[in-house]
């Protein structure tokens, strides 16, 4: 008879996750008791939940530990990403409060689904095991499949849902099968144990291990919308409700990049001759495809979709640079990933916030060539904000996007990947074409006066815009604060 | 008992059939079945690697995959049904308003 020893459960390590999950369940229940006319209360409750979860992150800072039989790793790196994903969730909830009334999708399930998706993102961020990682990814994805198709009866939204669903589960198949091969080669799925097992030459050179890692990277490629696995992105981003697009373009990327860094730096650092060239190629293709395809887009949501593909390429450059054997170079590269994702969160959510602010009941202003001409005359502040976010996404000083690109390219050059930095600079110049085009259109004179613009900006949306503009500006003018914060989040990651 | 390598080969074959199925078929239901085939190939591979290495964890992981796949089925079928309601067809070629 073998004695079964119950594993020690350190639930405190995952407080933010539990808070969000409990909040989601409570919102789901509250929906039963709240009359339909007062549903926006649910949104504010969900927002409160994410703020409480943010507060519970604070005591975990500098208080890192492994928990749940090493399945979960709570360290400053994880907490940094937990704070960014929760911040993105809070901003997305604020974005949605008025938008879902406008789009007539103000159902009680919206906010719980957003919170459940946030639970999946947090699980990804804290995961120290491939199994927990793919469970987190599925919790996140299942929530987003539903949210993408949330406008029932709307064909575009349904199409977005089915495309996202089919390609998402396809990539999940690759991820799980790849995990099973890695398990077969090394006998473990735990990142820490994997690193130990890879000390053995036989494991390191085993074809099972390499094929498994390749399949897992394909799965990552789909989820991060890296070219050539990006084909679903523009359709899903443009068909989904705009508030959902904002949420998934930011939240998914932040959480999945966290997991990718965790995998390559703590799980398989010794295989860097294998993953670094693969990610190198993905980064080059992604930067080129994303930025070139965005130039021809007429729909602003499709343009922002391609732009987000291009941005993922730049972040990937820094991930590649983190393979440097020199410790401080590698740490600088990881720091630039963190800073870039933080900047990307604010500038991308901000851009979508303006698109939402210009929407009216039954009609969103999405067509760049007609809907955005002359907007600046009626809404100087909204146009100014969108122009500012476009400059930031394009990497023009004094914005967060400029500092982010600068740190990424500097890290790439320091790690002897100057050709990646070169491709990055060239594609950034191409990218200016479509970012600046939006600004030019907004400030050009309209042939006829547009009169169906909304008169005012609802308060929650104004808060989101203010936060995003201030943060983008602050990170652009005084980046030291955010860079220091990212620096402190590194200590466990660096080898 | 068949040698363990047969199981690995079978799981690789199942995974390949699943992948090809998703790529060439046009009906979302069949594509979805192919995806399930890929996941079950992974389950078989987890279970047989667990057996080969005399570990239990692989079998437990297979249970996790089954649970996740079940949740996916629920959402996936709901999406397919709602598409069928509004179009009376589920062929992926008909679902192409958004060009990409």
């Amino acid at each position: 008879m073998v004695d079964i020893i119950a594993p020690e459960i350190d639930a405190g390590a995952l407080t933010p996750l539990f808070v969000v999950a409990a909040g989601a369940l409570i919102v789901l229940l509250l929906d039963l008791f709240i009359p339909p006319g007062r549903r926006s209360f649910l949104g504010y409750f969900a927002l409160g939940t994410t703020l409480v979860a943010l507060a519970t992150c604070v005591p975990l800072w500098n208080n890192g530990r492994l928990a749940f039989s090493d399945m979960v790793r709570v360290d400053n790196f994880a907490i940094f990403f937990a704070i960014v994903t929760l911040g993105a969730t809070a901003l997305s909830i604020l974005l949605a409060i008025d938008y879902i009334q406008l789009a007539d999708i103000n159902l009680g399930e919206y906010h719980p689904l957003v919170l459940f998706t946030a639970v999946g993102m947090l699980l990804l961020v804290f995961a120290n095991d491939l199994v927990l990682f793919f469970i987190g990814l599925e919790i996140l994805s299942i929530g987003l499949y539903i949210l993408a198709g949330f406008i029932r009866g709307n064909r575009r939204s349904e199409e977005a849902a089915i495309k996202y669903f089919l390609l998402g589960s396809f990539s999940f198949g690759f991820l799980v099968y790849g995990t099973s091969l890695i398990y077969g080669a090394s006998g473990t799925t735990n990142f820490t144990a994997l690193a130990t097992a890879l000390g053995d030459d036989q494991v390191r050179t085993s074809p099972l291990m390499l094929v498994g890692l390749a399949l897992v990277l394909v799965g990552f490629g789909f989820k991060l919308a890296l070219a050539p696995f990006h084909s679903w992105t523009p359709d899903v981003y443009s068909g989904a409700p705009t508030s959902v697009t904002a949420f998934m373009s930011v939240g998914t990327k932040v959480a999945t990049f966290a997991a990718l860094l965790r995998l390559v730096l703590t799980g398989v650092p010794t295989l860097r001759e294998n993953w670094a060239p693969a990610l190198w190629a993905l980064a080059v293709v992604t930067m080129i495809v994303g930025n070139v395809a965005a130039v021809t887009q007429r729909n602003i949501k499709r343009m922002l979709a391609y732009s987000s593909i291009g941005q993922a390429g730049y972040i990937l450059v820094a991930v590649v640079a983190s393979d440097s054997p020199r410790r401080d170079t590698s740490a600088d590269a990881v720091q630039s990933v963190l800073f870039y994702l933080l900047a990307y969160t604010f500038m991308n959510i901000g851009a979508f916030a303006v698109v939402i602010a210009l929407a009216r009941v039954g009609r969103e202003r999405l067509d760049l060539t007609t809907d955005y001409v002359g907007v600046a005359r009626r809404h100087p502040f909204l146009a100014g904000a969108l122009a500012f976010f476009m400059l930031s996404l394009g990497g023009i000083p004094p914005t967060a996007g400029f500092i982010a690109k600068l740190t990424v390219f500097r890290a790439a050059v320091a790690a002897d990947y100057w050709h990646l930095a070169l491709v990055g600079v060239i594609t950034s110049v191409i990218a200016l074409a479509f970012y600046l085009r939006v600004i030019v259109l907004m400030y050009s004179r309209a042939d006829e006066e547009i009169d169906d613009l909304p008169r005012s900006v609802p308060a929650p949306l104004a808060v989101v815009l203010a936060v995003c503009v201030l943060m983008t500006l602050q990170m652009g003018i005084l980046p030291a604060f955010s860079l220091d914060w990212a620096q402190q989040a590194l200590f466990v990651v660096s080898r | 008992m068949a040698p363990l390598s047969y199981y690995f080969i079978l799981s690789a074959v199942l995974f390949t059939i699943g992948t090809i199925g998703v790529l060439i078929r046009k009906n979302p239901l069949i594509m979805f079945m192919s995806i399930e085939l890929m996941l079950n190939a992974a389950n078989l591979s987890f279970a047989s690697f667990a057996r080969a290495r005399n570990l239990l964890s692989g079998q437990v992981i297979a249970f996790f995959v089954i649970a996740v796949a079940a949740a996916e089925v629920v959402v996936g079928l709901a999406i397919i049904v709602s598409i069928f309601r509004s179009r009376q067809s589920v062929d992926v070629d008909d679902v192409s308003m958004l060009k990409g």
Side-chain angles (χ1 to χ4, degrees), chain A residues 394-463:
Chain A
I396 307 251
T399 59
F402 168 69
I403 306 285
K405 278 212 173 79
L406 190 70
T407 51
V408 162
F409 294 152
R410 199 175 52 195
V413 171
D416 296 328
Y417 284 110
W418 59 268
H419 31 299
L420 272 183
L422 187 68
V423 177
V425 171
I426 293 171
T427 51
S428 301
V429 175
I430 299 173
L432 282 181
F434 59 88
Y435 289 130
L436 292 180
R437 178 164 161 246
V438 178
I439 303 176
V440 171
L441 286 170
M442 283 192 304
Y443 285 92
S444 59
R445 187 182 294 273
D447 291 341
E448 56 213 74
E449 192 67 27
I450 358 171
D451 47 8
D452 66 338
L453 282 169
R455 292 190 190 286
S456 60
V457 179
L461 215 49
V463 172

Side-chain angles (χ1 to χ4, degrees), chain A residues 263-312:
Chain A
L263 171 68
V264 296
L265 293 181
T266 63
V268 293
T270 41
L271 288 176
R272 75 173 73 94
E273 308 84 59
N274 299 300
W275 59 257
L279 294 182
W280 184 93
L282 284 177
V284 170
V285 179
T286 307
M287 283 188 287
I288 294 175
V289 168
N291 288 311
V292 171
V295 175
T296 57
Q297 297 305 318
R298 281 187 63 181
N299 181 314
I300 188 160
K301 274 163 89 179
R302 289 185 80 86
M303 188 210 90
L304 285 172
Y306 279 111
S307 130
S308 82
I309 295 173
Q311 304 284 339

Side-chain angles (χ1 to χ4, degrees), chain A residues 175-381:
Chain A
L175 202 66
V176 175
Y177 196 72
T179 307
S180 83
L181 295 186
I182 291 180
Y183 175 75
S186 65
T188 178
T189 51
N190 189 289
F191 292 161
T192 327
L194 198 57
T196 320
L198 283 169
D200 182 356
D201 275 342
Q202 211 178 351
V203 177
R204 196 162 58 225
T205 53
S206 116
L208 272 183
M209 184 74 210
L210 299 181
V211 175
L213 184 62
L215 290 175
V216 168
L217 289 183
V218 169
F220 269 104
F222 270 108
K223 287 292 166 194
L224 289 170
L226 306 174
F229 312 110
H230 68 289
S231 56
W232 57 274
T233 319
D235 289 357
V236 173
Y237 279 23
S238 63
T242 313
S243 55
V244 174
T245 312
F247 181 47
M248 71 173 147
S249 68
V250 171
T252 321
K253 280 219 167 71
V254 171
T256 316
F257 265 115
L260 178 63
L261 275 176
R262 188 75 96 187
L263 171 68
V264 296
L265 293 181
T266 63
V268 293
T270 41
L271 288 176
R272 75 173 73 94
E273 308 84 59
N274 299 300
W275 59 257
L279 294 182
W280 184 93
L282 284 177
V284 170
V285 179
T286 307
M287 283 188 287
I288 294 175
V289 168
N291 288 311
V292 171
V295 175
T296 57
Q297 297 305 318
R298 281 187 63 181
N299 181 314
I300 188 160
K301 274 163 89 179
R302 289 185 80 86
M303 188 210 90
L304 285 172
Y306 279 111
S307 130
S308 82
I309 295 173
Q311 304 284 339
Y314 299 127
I315 302 169
L316 201 57
V317 168
V319 176
V320 176
S322 75
D323 84 322
S324 168
R326 273 165 292 151
R327 214 185 150 93
D328 52 339
T329 318
S330 171
D332 279 350
V334 178
Q335 184 192 13
S336 69
V337 176
L338 267 57
F339 184 85
Y340 204 115
L341 283 168
L342 188 65
Y344 172 76
T345 302
F346 291 111
M347 56 200 188
N348 220 43
I349 289 193
F352 279 110
V354 177
V355 176
I356 289 177
L358 291 173
R360 281 193 52 186
V361 179
R363 185 166 129 71
E364 283 188 67
R365 309 186 72 83
L366 298 177
D367 193 321
L368 277 174
T369 47
T370 57
D371 286 345
Y372 283 81
V373 180
V375 166
R377 275 178 57 141
R378 278 293 291 275
H379 278 294
F381 287 111

